[in-house]
Amino acid sequence: MPLVGVCTGAFILHRAGLMQGYRCCVSWFHHGDFLAEFEGITPVSDQIFVVDRDRLICSGGASSAHLAAWLVDRHVGRAAATKSLHIMIMDDARTGEVPQPGLPVELSTDDPLVRHALALMRQSMEAPLTVERLAERLGVGRRALERHFRAALGPSPAAADRTIRLAQGRFLLERGDSSITRIP
């Protein structure tokens, strides 16, 4: 039976034992919580939704509309999918591989290696990865990773990580839940 999980619905489906052998999508925001609860399972956190056979999982928010549009396109037709997105004031359908939002605009790229690296950086806010460790986790050499960053974004991996951290710090300061001394 086809099942759809929206946002933290991936947690519920895994707890119910309905995701064995399936890939799933989890928001980068919940990635650490997912890893803590489900050992040995690495969710996709660098795209907006994942379709794996009869399991459809999205990261929540606007990705829910794009997953719905994908379903409408597949079962009713592209015109109906486009119309439904226009009703929700969305210009066009996005594929599941589109990166999840949350990165500073200057760090958007189509390079899959750099996107995966940026997702890992976001997921390791509390324990930053060195460039060497990041490259190791991605299965590439440090120099190759740096070349990809230079070609895709300009700044080095270390500079991109600093940009992500500063953006997160600014967000936390603006939100006002944490003290200035706690944020760093």
Side-chain angles (χ1 to χ4, degrees):
M1 170 177 292
L3 295 173
V4 177
V6 176
C7 192
T8 54
F11 286 75
I12 294 165
L13 292 173
H14 271 284
R15 285 181 197 133
L18 299 170
M19 293 297 294
Q20 274 73 17
Y22 289 92
R23 292 175 50 235
C24 77
C25 182
V26 174
S27 167
W28 65 268
F29 187 76
H30 299 294
H31 186 90
D33 298 329
F34 191 92
L35 291 177
E37 186 168 340
F38 305 105
E39 288 187 33
I41 301 171
T42 304
V44 174
S45 294
D46 62 349
Q47 57 188 69
I48 59 173
F49 65 84
V50 168
V51 176
D52 186 356
R53 295 161 286 163
D54 58 354
R55 301 295 189 268
L56 301 85
I57 313 293
C58 69
S59 60
S63 70
S64 308
H66 290 288
L67 176 56
W70 182 88
L71 282 166
V72 171
D73 183 356
R74 183 177 170 128
H75 296 284
V76 181
R78 183 166 304 269
T82 301
K83 181 179 179 180
S84 67
L85 286 170
H86 286 272
I87 290 169
M88 292 183 281
I89 313 173
M90 295 179 159
D91 291 331
D92 54 17
R94 295 182 179 170
T95 63
E97 295 79 27
V98 170
Q100 290 183 17
L103 285 172
V105 174
E106 65 269 25
L107 297 179
S108 58
T109 178
D110 291 329
D111 183 311
L113 179 69
V114 175
R115 280 191 4 218
H116 193 186
L118 294 169
L120 288 173
M121 289 175 186
R122 273 193 308 199
Q123 295 159 11
S124 61
M125 288 286 195
E126 292 184 19
L129 299 169
T130 65
V131 176
E132 291 81 9
R133 180 75 180 116
L134 183 62
E136 181 183 306
R137 296 248 331 250
L138 293 166
V140 299
R142 177 188 174 132
R143 296 283 184 234
L145 181 61
E146 289 172 341
R147 277 194 303 277
H148 275 266
F149 265 80
R150 211 172 15 260
L153 300 174
S156 68
D161 188 53
R162 190 170 36 258
T163 299
I164 291 169
R165 290 177 184 292
L166 288 171
Q168 181 67 12
R170 186 172 30 256
F171 168 76
L172 293 172
L173 284 170
E174 290 170 355
R175 197 170 74 185
D177 308 21
S178 304
S179 70
I180 291 174
T181 56
R182 181 172 155 77
I183 291 172

